[in-house]
Amino acid sequence: MNLTLECKRSLNRILSRVDLSKLSKNDSKIFHERLTQHFPRLFELLVTVYNERYDMHYQLEQLVQQLADSFKARPAAQKKKDKQRLNNPHWHQSEDMLGMACYVDLIAEDLADLQTKIPYFKDLGITYLHLMPLYKSPEGDSDGGYAVSDYRCVNPKLGTVQELNNLAKALDKAGISLVLDFVFNHTSDEHEWALKARAGDEDFAEYYYLFEDKSIVDEYEKTLREIFPQVRRGSFTYLEDSKKWVWTTFNSFQWDLNYSNPTVFTAIVGEMLFLANLGCDALRLDALAFIWKEMGTTCENQPKAHKLIQAFNACLQIAAPAVVFKSEAIVHPDEVVKYIAPEECQLSYNPLTMALIWNSLATRKTRLITQSLSHRFAINPDCTWVNYARCHDDIGWTFDDGDAGILGINGYDHRLFLNKFFTGQFEGSYATGMGFQFNPENGDCRVCGSLASLAGLEQALEQQDPHLLEMSIGRILLIHSILLSIGGIPLLYAGDELGMLNDYSFLQDDHKKHDSRWVNRPAISNEDVVLAHTPGTVQNRINQGIRHLIKIRKTHPVLGRAKTQVIHTGSDHLFGYQRTHENGDKLLVLCNFSENEQTAHASVFEHLLPASQAYDLINDEIITFDFNLGKTLTAYQVSWLYVK
Ligand code: OTU
């Protein structure tokens, strides 16, 4: 098939039928240019996914109309940003970038009040703010907002769309990019589409996966992984009223959207562009691994899921190119990287580095992080990792069993150990965490807990033991030092910069007590902030330590858009990497993952040759290389050795 010819014909036909009259002359010119550039890709992708659908060409027409309408509705300020970002596609790689994720109502009263926190964000250096889902969602349990009842309506408890708009403007003025969730794998069962489907509307029934025949459900179940086995076994929920099974990968009130129906794709593009037009800079693609289902497979990371995400990306390039996608694929590392490309997701969470940092903290060994990241850290140079240690979710141990196997580590057994260690069930463990979604069938489990509690601060404070305190502070700063220096956007989870501990109050809340992820979603009060700003407190040492590292990052381009190479340190307890900027600047990073003094082999200095001295950015001193002794680091010490 001659795609280009067919594509041209298709576009011409579409253009003769859609109504572009509402676009201004200039907008019309831009829209046509972008269509010419991106329609061929979009066409090819949608033909691949929907070639068997009788209504595919009708849907294409609807889609182009949707793109034109959304572009028309795009505020002038956003259009201006489109231009700027197209001229500066690497904006997310700057050393100035620093992210934070927070819940609006756990850090402020509501959206209006959040504006009063902007000075705090600015003072810390935040330039990228992910506000956890703030859309209309069911009362009671809404999976922390990840069950969306209306993408175009802000949760009334948090405010209004107008207030969100105002906030977006204020953040923009403060140089902070706004990141919003694009929860497109599922809607809540209270979304208008779901309500209509439930009421028997045939068109809307096709928006979801509804089955009367249990044997189809059983057939799918054979190869599916259970994501929330403690919510309900399997991935389907029986609807008593309509006597049907509905696909619910997560909670029973989160209905998976049926993307095999192209109407769903078009409808969701409309919702996506509505969010883009609110003035956000990035959309976090929630649970993107699950959007395509194929019987006989795990229904995760399917090739057509990638095609669809690329198609969404093409739509964004046409109607809102300032916005980038962030992939939330918390899956096997081989699969994580498949979502990362300028044409798919420009940003991605880095779940492997996250898991391996915690792993090294538990084992005090760096063999697995070194072995894994030496061949897995590099991604497309136009794309950016989002490096995090904690977020609102659980921790899953998504390292590769092959990488572990090379080192003689049995992946399955090792995960059991990590779960025990971080839930404090392993003798000598310093961590205070909780299990999440234990699966009795395979023993699988994930871990929850705040960064500080998992790093030992909770236990140290309970025992009032100065040595344990020192060690936990050391771990907390070590973790942040890696996020801030390894390459990518460091993403702090609000409260971690204040040393916040686990919050057990969720156990008293009927809507939350079954979901231990709430233990790591503490409300942040002014007292917490004051404590962290009071000299002499543990929290202050953590806060000051993190701020010191942030300052260094922001003033050294080698910590921004620069290459990362993991190195061998000659010690099983030290992790090291080198950053190289195109201006010639180099940085050698060494981190000690143990409570004891450790020495890196002198060969690490070779990465900085021909220099014979480097500037220790953290300690603010010049160090001369000792080619006989190497470099010794104290417990949990980190060295950032910089050569201009
Ligand atoms: C995401 O996470 C969100 O981050 C969660 O907060 C939501 O509950 C969920 O989607 C549903 O919207 O299962 O435990 O990559 O790890 O997508 C977290 C696979 C989750 C999953 C991830 C999901």
Side-chain angles (χ1 to χ4, degrees):
M1 146 164 109
N2 185 341
L3 200 63
T4 38
L5 185 63
E6 288 181 2
C7 170
K8 251 188 230 158
R9 276 190 192 142
S10 175
L11 183 58
N12 286 339
R13 272 185 210 140
I14 288 171
L15 285 175
S16 72
R17 297 167 65 96
V18 296
D19 176 12
L20 304 178
S21 65
K22 283 182 233 131
L23 292 179
S24 71
K25 216 175 146 201
N26 192 38
D27 277 359
S28 174
K29 186 173 159 265
I30 295 174
F31 189 71
H32 275 96
E33 276 169 14
R34 296 215 192 117
L35 260 191
T36 314
Q37 190 184 347
H38 299 288
F39 184 80
R41 176 161 81 97
L42 185 58
F43 181 79
E44 189 181 340
L45 290 163
L46 294 179
V47 167
T48 311
V49 178
Y50 296 121
N51 58 354
E52 279 164 21
R53 285 288 304 210
Y54 74 98
D55 56 342
M56 142 140 198
H57 289 279
Y58 167 74
Q59 286 303 332
L60 263 180
E61 195 179 305
Q62 298 293 303
L63 179 63
V64 173
Q65 186 70 58
Q66 177 64 258
L67 295 176
D69 293 346
S70 298
F71 184 53
K72 162 88 180 54
R74 189 153 174 81
Q78 304 312 318
K79 287 183 179 153
K80 200 172 140 201
K81 216 179 215 177
D82 288 338
K83 259 199 199 154
Q84 289 167 355
R85 289 276 153 88
L86 286 170
N87 288 327
N88 179 23
H90 294 136
W91 63 274
H92 39 79
Q93 301 192 332
S94 160
E95 63 278 12
D96 194 39
M97 290 302 291
L98 177 63
M100 175 165 273
C102 68
Y103 287 89
V104 174
D105 59 342
L106 294 182
I107 201 167
E109 293 287 318
D110 51 26
L111 282 168
D113 184 43
L114 194 67
Q115 289 209 31
T116 66
K117 309 289 171 186
I118 292 178
Y120 176 78
F121 296 135
K122 271 198 85 162
D123 179 52
L124 193 60
I126 301 301
T127 61
Y128 166 114
L129 186 67
H130 170 209
L131 298 180
M132 300 300 295
L134 38 73
Y135 316 107
K136 190 177 167 207
S137 55
E139 284 283 321
D141 190 359
S142 65
D143 189 19
Y146 281 104
V148 179
S149 304
D150 188 342
Y151 298 93
R152 300 186 189 223
C153 188
V154 165
N155 180 342
K157 284 189 189 134
L158 304 179
T160 61
V161 168
Q162 186 54 49
E163 280 163 338
L164 177 57
N165 241 308
N166 296 344
L167 177 68
K169 278 188 201 139
L171 288 171
D172 188 56
K173 220 169 142 195
I176 301 173
S177 295
L178 174 62
V179 185
L180 292 177
D181 274 280
F182 178 34
V183 189
F184 70 127
N185 174 69
H186 44 266
T187 73
S188 90
D189 59 356
E190 294 181 9
H191 192 286
E192 191 194 348
W193 303 337
L195 295 176
K196 286 185 178 164
R198 208 163 186 157
D201 183 314
E202 284 179 5
D203 287 340
F204 286 97
E206 283 178 18
Y207 271 51
Y208 301 94
Y209 288 95
L210 291 161
F211 303 104
E212 267 167 55
D213 183 351
K214 175 80 176 5
S215 69
I216 301 177
V217 169
D218 293 341
E219 198 54 39
Y220 274 118
E221 292 275 28
K222 279 184 188 162
T223 48
L224 293 180
R225 172 168 79 106
E226 292 173 283
I227 308 300
F228 285 174
Q230 286 187 339
V231 164
R232 140 226 81 226
R233 299 312 304 271
S235 302
F236 295 82
T237 301
Y238 188 64
L239 305 172
E240 293 288 349
D241 51 357
S242 39
K243 309 254 177 300
K244 281 181 188 154
W245 293 87
V246 58
W247 198 311
T248 52
T249 298
F250 300 96
N251 287 287
S252 296
F253 52 82
Q254 289 163 302
W255 289 17
D256 288 46
L257 285 162
N258 177 2
Y259 282 99
S260 70
N261 174 4
T263 316
V264 171
F265 178 78
T266 310
I268 289 289
V269 166
E271 306 308 293
M272 171 182 87
L273 292 174
F274 177 84
L275 300 181
N277 286 352
L278 286 175
C280 66
D281 300 82
L283 287 171
R284 172 191 181 278
L285 269 52
D286 183 63
L288 78 179
F290 299 87
I291 63 168
W292 190 263
K293 331 285 192 200
E294 195 88 57
M295 196 178 269
T297 75
T298 58
C299 299
E300 285 183 55
N301 309 307
Q302 291 300 301
K304 285 187 180 167
H306 290 282
K307 300 278 180 212
L308 282 172
I309 298 159
Q310 289 164 21
F312 280 119
N313 176 304
C315 292
L316 208 55
Q317 298 308 323
I318 293 166
V323 181
V324 294
F325 279 160
K326 171 165 68 167
S327 161
E328 192 256 340
I330 316 301
V331 291
H332 188 280
D334 288 346
E335 301 297 336
V336 171
V337 294
K338 291 184 190 160
Y339 294 92
I340 307 173
E343 304 76 34
E344 197 163 335
C345 296
Q346 298 92 334
L347 311 179
S348 169
Y349 278 98
N350 190 345
L352 179 64
T353 299
M354 182 275 292
L356 293 175
I357 289 173
W358 288 109
N359 173 60
S360 291
L361 285 170
T363 59
R364 280 80 162 173
K365 291 216 170 122
T366 56
R367 295 182 311 152
L368 190 55
I369 195 170
T370 303
Q371 140 76 13
S372 300
L373 296 192
S374 57
H375 69 112
R376 294 186 185 274
F377 193 82
I379 51 172
N380 184 307
D382 297 328
C383 296
T384 307
W385 282 123
V386 173
N387 294 309
Y388 69 115
R390 287 306 289 120
C391 68
H392 66 290
D393 275 334
D394 48 291
I395 299 177
W397 307 112
T398 61
F399 57 82
D400 173 55
D401 282 3
D403 288 347
I406 290 172
L407 303 169
I409 300 167
N410 176 303
Y412 181 81
D413 294 347
H414 194 62
R415 285 186 186 89
L416 291 184
F417 155 73
L418 289 169
N419 285 332
K420 274 199 173 159
F421 185 90
F422 284 106
T423 53
Q425 296 171 63
F426 190 83
E427 212 190 313
S429 165
Y430 50 73
T432 317
M434 294 179 94
F436 181 64
Q437 299 299 332
F438 173 72
N439 188 331
E441 209 139 287
N442 52 18
D444 197 22
C445 183
R446 281 116 75 188
V447 167
C448 297
S450 82
L451 186 145
S453 290
L454 294 177
L457 187 63
E458 189 167 329
Q459 204 187 86
L461 286 171
E462 257 162 32
Q463 300 184 9
Q464 286 294 317
D465 180 322
H467 176 71
L468 293 185
L469 268 178
E470 281 310 303
M471 294 301 106
S472 63
I473 295 170
R475 287 182 205 107
I476 292 168
L477 295 179
L478 168 74
I479 294 169
H480 285 92
S481 81
I482 296 178
L483 306 183
L484 285 156
S485 69
I486 196 163
I489 303 176
L491 179 62
L492 308 182
Y493 181 58
D496 286 349
E497 84 284 13
L498 308 170
M500 300 276 296
L501 302 178
N502 284 347
D503 178 355
Y504 299 99
S505 63
F506 78 100
L507 291 167
Q508 261 65 59
D509 184 331
D510 283 343
H511 298 304
K512 294 180 176 164
K513 62 183 180 200
H514 57 279
D515 189 337
S516 49
R517 289 175 297 175
W518 285 102
V519 81
N520 45 258
R521 299 170 183 174
I524 298 157
S525 68
N526 271 336
E527 289 80 71
D528 296 315
V529 177
V530 170
L531 191 64
H533 288 172
T534 308
T537 62
V538 175
Q539 290 78 0
N540 184 246
R541 279 189 56 199
I542 292 169
N543 194 256
Q544 287 301 313
I546 295 173
R547 282 171 185 268
H548 179 53
L549 297 172
I550 292 172
K551 260 201 200 111
I552 303 172
R553 169 180 164 95
K554 287 191 174 245
T555 45
H556 291 83
V558 73
L559 287 157
R561 186 172 154 75
K563 260 198 202 128
T564 301
Q565 191 200 338
V566 172
I567 62 161
H568 286 273
T569 60
S571 159
D572 272 358
H573 308 282
L574 298 178
F575 177 49
Y577 43 93
Q578 187 195 4
R579 305 292 316 274
T580 320
H581 193 274
E582 59 183 16
N583 69 7
D585 285 8
K586 284 180 186 171
L587 182 79
L588 175 68
V589 174
L590 296 170
C591 326
N592 182 358
F593 270 95
S594 83
E595 283 104 330
N596 301 312
E597 197 176 271
Q598 305 290 345
T599 301
H601 192 268
S603 61
V604 296
F605 297 129
E606 285 166 16
H607 296 283
L608 298 176
L609 291 177
S612 56
Q613 288 186 325
Y615 185 57
D616 178 332
L617 293 175
I618 297 178
N619 289 331
D620 194 15
E621 64 186 16
I622 290 178
I623 74 142
T624 303
F625 304 158
D626 187 330
F627 283 96
N628 292 318
L629 293 180
K631 169 83 180 121
T632 298
L633 288 94
T634 57
Y636 295 119
Q637 192 193 338
V638 177
S639 285
W640 287 359
L641 304 179
Y642 173 60
V643 173
K644 228 178 156 44

